[in-house]
Amino acid sequence: MKNRLIMLEGLPGTGKSTNSFKLYEQLLLNGKKVSWIHEVSQPHPVLFFTESCMTKEEYRKFKIKYSEVAEILDEVAEVRKTTVGIDQEMVSRRSPEAQKQEWYQELLQYDAFPTSLDRYEVQALEKWEAFAKNAVQDEDKVFILDSSFFQYQIFTYLLKAAPYKRLESFVGKITECIKPLNPLLIYLYREHTEDSIAFLKEQRGEQDLVSIWKRDRGEPYYQNKQKDVMAFYDFLKDYATYAKDLFATLKIDKRKIEISKNNWKAYENEMLELLKINREEIPAYKAMEGTFVNAEYGLSFTIKDNVMKDSEGVQRHLFPKSQEEFFVEGIPTILQFFGESSIRICGQQIIPQWTETGTIYTKEG
């Protein structure tokens, strides 16, 4: 394929993850080698969700101060040009009592998300550069990124009330480092931002949007805004304006898809046609049913009629990839059935622990 990096972007609620899943499914069914890096993939190669980030010198001093955990930190640390990233979730799994310890609380002080923009730009660009350098080496693999290129950057810069030109400049730097992957940007949008806001309210409930506003209301963007969820709706309108302007300036392969009619099959077909990929029919297989348990982690999930209820109580449809492998709806996790009653977790793991790659679950009874 010409485009080895496919990036889906749009306002929250425009179907980025849903359509990333369909592309992932169809590319695999077409025999392509694919890695879908979900917005909450863990650890994430270009975003910061549960990551502490230090300079190399800060990391060196931290390990001297807390030598008792230096080995654990080195196991999970991602060393870049001048920075070191440490995924907090991975550290916690290797040291179950970590969150009660002084060293862990200090580690959280280096959390990459609430840092200054000056520090963020160094850390984030190095992360994108490391991703691009690794990705380009696997010449046969296609990468799908959702909500990373526009959404994460716009949220970060807009919340900090940074000038648009600073955002545009930084996105331009990211663009330069991913150009060897011949990126394709697919931007999903509704003609009127108010329609996207109405859709979000209907699908997620207004309380969910209130929660986002409450989470972020201390940020500079909200300082001179009204003190209720209407300020978040203003944020989304500004987001849409920034995204429209960014899209216009980019000099890479790109396509805008207007989704107001919610004709998702047609939008999928448009994307597949753009990628010159034939739609493959999903094979008709039924997954083994029952309750599957991993005793080591104390996790379990159930499967019935090709619907999985995961360990967090979320119901997800299963779609056959083959008689032994099933896609899990909406996430890059694949269930691989083997033996008489076991499942291995494959694909790309996301933050919930049950998705950890390589974990084995065994059927009860």
Side-chain angles (χ1 to χ4, degrees):
M1 285 179 59
K2 173 190 173 185
N3 303 112
R4 292 193 42 233
L5 175 60
I6 304 164
M7 302 182 293
L8 275 80
E9 292 294 339
L11 277 164
T14 49
K16 300 181 294 297
S17 293
T18 299
N19 285 283
S20 293
F21 170 70
K22 296 307 295 184
L23 285 180
Y24 176 66
E25 173 191 78
Q26 287 297 317
L27 286 167
L28 283 174
L29 290 173
N30 271 270
K32 303 297 182 182
K33 191 177 177 182
V34 188
S35 176
W36 170 24
I37 303 167
H38 189 279
E39 181 182 5
V40 293
S41 287
Q42 193 266 336
H44 201 291
V46 296
L47 302 187
F48 300 105
F49 284 113
T50 62
E51 182 174 316
S52 294
C53 197
M54 308 178 187
T55 66
K56 286 184 175 179
E57 180 62 13
E58 288 169 341
Y59 183 57
R60 185 186 70 82
K61 291 180 178 178
F62 191 91
K63 287 197 298 178
I64 291 173
K65 183 176 181 179
Y66 299 108
S67 58
E68 70 274 18
V69 293
E71 185 175 347
I72 291 175
L73 295 176
D74 281 342
E75 285 177 1
V76 304
E78 181 181 339
V79 180
R80 303 168 194 132
K81 192 183 302 180
T82 67
T83 61
V84 179
I86 303 165
D87 189 277
Q88 298 155 9
E89 294 284 337
M90 294 179 70
V91 169
S92 293
R93 290 175 193 175
R94 283 165 172 76
S95 179
E97 298 296 314
Q99 296 185 26
K100 301 177 183 178
Q101 305 300 316
E102 177 185 343
W103 65 265
Y104 187 81
Q105 296 307 312
E106 185 168 336
L107 182 68
L108 296 182
Q109 300 304 308
Y110 291 93
D111 194 296
F113 183 70
T115 192
S116 69
L117 274 183
D118 287 340
R119 190 172 172 106
Y120 170 80
E121 287 176 342
V122 172
Q123 295 170 349
L125 189 59
E126 286 195 3
K127 204 169 190 188
W128 278 92
E129 288 171 343
F131 162 71
K133 181 179 179 180
N134 291 331
V136 79
Q137 293 174 4
D138 196 338
E139 297 179 357
D140 298 324
K141 182 177 282 190
V142 178
F143 296 85
I144 301 171
L145 276 174
D146 71 90
S147 310
S148 303
F149 187 55
F150 273 10
Q151 179 170 288
Y152 198 86
Q153 312 313 319
I154 293 175
F155 260 79
T156 299
Y157 281 76
L158 197 51
L159 285 174
K160 297 295 185 187
Y164 167 79
K165 283 296 183 182
R166 184 170 183 176
L167 167 66
E168 183 184 278
S169 174
F170 186 69
V171 170
K173 291 175 183 177
I174 296 174
T175 302
E176 285 302 310
C177 76
I178 61 176
K179 274 188 175 178
L181 295 167
N182 294 314
L184 167 65
L185 172 64
I186 299 174
Y187 187 71
L188 306 169
Y189 75 103
R190 294 181 177 86
E191 185 175 355
H192 303 293
T193 304
E194 290 81 1
D195 293 338
S196 286
I197 293 172
F199 182 84
L200 272 175
K201 289 168 70 175
E202 179 183 348
Q203 293 296 309
R204 300 185 183 180
E206 187 168 34
Q207 190 55 46
D208 185 69
L209 307 186
V210 171
S211 297
I212 296 174
W213 168 70
K214 286 183 175 179
R215 180 195 69 190
D216 297 333
R217 61 185 172 182
E219 295 287 348
Y221 174 86
Y222 288 110
Q223 294 315 295
N224 297 314
K225 298 287 185 180
Q226 60 195 88
K227 306 303 180 183
D228 59 29
V229 72
M230 295 301 294
F232 179 58
Y233 301 155
D234 288 342
F235 179 90
L236 292 175
K237 292 172 186 177
D238 287 338
Y239 177 115
T241 299
Y242 276 23
K244 180 181 178 181
D245 292 345
L246 283 173
F247 186 90
T249 63
L250 286 172
K251 293 179 174 58
I252 58 174
D253 286 351
K254 55 188 178 181
R255 173 71 64 88
K256 294 175 77 173
I257 299 180
E258 211 279 329
I259 61 167
S260 295
K261 294 182 180 179
N262 296 323
N263 189 352
W264 299 110
K265 195 83 166 183
Y267 309 144
E268 291 169 21
N269 288 335
E270 185 174 348
M271 288 185 282
L272 293 174
E273 183 179 344
L274 185 62
L275 293 165
K276 296 181 172 56
I277 294 293
N278 295 321
R279 178 182 287 280
E280 295 292 331
E281 293 303 316
I282 303 296
Y285 295 115
K286 189 171 182 180
M288 183 187 304
E289 297 184 343
T291 298
F292 297 83
V293 177
N294 179 281
E296 180 183 359
Y297 292 154
L299 298 171
S300 66
F301 54 77
T302 60
I303 297 174
K304 183 176 176 59
D305 295 329
N306 278 15
V307 175
M308 172 189 193
K309 186 174 182 180
D310 70 25
S311 63
E312 298 183 333
V314 179
Q315 290 196 348
R316 305 178 187 275
H317 286 86
L318 302 180
F319 299 95
K321 179 175 181 281
S322 67
Q323 193 167 357
E324 293 80 26
E325 294 184 312
F326 287 74
F327 298 105
V328 181
E329 179 185 22
I331 58 176
T333 302
I334 293 175
L335 305 185
Q336 182 186 76
F337 292 81
F338 68 97
E340 295 184 356
S341 59
S342 296
I343 296 175
R344 179 181 292 107
I345 302 296
C346 302
Q348 170 74 47
Q349 71 189 63
I350 59 174
I351 288 175
Q353 189 176 9
W354 74 264
T355 67
E356 186 171 338
T357 303
T359 305
I360 305 295
Y361 292 80
T362 304
K363 185 177 177 179
E364 280 189 334

